[in-house]
Amino acid sequence: MTDAKLEIQMLHDRVMVRVSQESGERRSSGGIVIPATAQVAKRLVWGEVFGVGSHVRSVKVGDQVLFNPEEQYEVEVQGQTYLVMRERDLHAVASERTEQGTGLYL
């Protein structure tokens, strides 16, 4: 077996995302600390796209995407944890090249 490095390429409509590192707790707009254990509804999170398959149409590497992390597959590569999902599991994309934006910005 050789020690050659193998580049990972995503297949079909798959997207590889790294979730932003957060402590889990957050603050309300009024400054109240909300612990990570407080769950009122399913919480969507933002992550950065690190790889896309050849059939992915709306997302590019480097984009920020919104998704539900609880319903995705997790993989560890060189000590970093990434999530792998289908493009259709993404709820939104934040990028500089918008065509049908919401008027909201990250």
Side-chain angles (χ1 to χ4, degrees), residues 17-36:
V17 177
R18 185 171 70 192
V19 178
S20 304
Q21 296 298 322
E22 300 176 346
S23 64
E25 71 180 28
R26 55 194 191 277
R27 289 191 179 272
S28 71
S29 59
I32 298 171
V33 175
I34 302 168

Side-chain angles (χ1 to χ4, degrees), residues 14-60:
R14 300 304 196 273
V15 179
M16 180 182 275
V17 177
R18 185 171 70 192
V19 178
S20 304
Q21 296 298 322
E22 300 176 346
S23 64
E25 71 180 28
R26 55 194 191 277
R27 289 191 179 272
S28 71
S29 59
I32 298 171
V33 175
I34 302 168
T37 56
Q39 291 287 330
V40 177
K42 288 187 177 179
R43 185 155 175 86
L44 300 176
V45 297
W46 289 98
E48 182 179 353
V49 175
F50 275 80
V52 296
S54 59
H55 294 137
V56 173
R57 300 180 314 184
S58 302
V59 179
K60 304 281 186 240

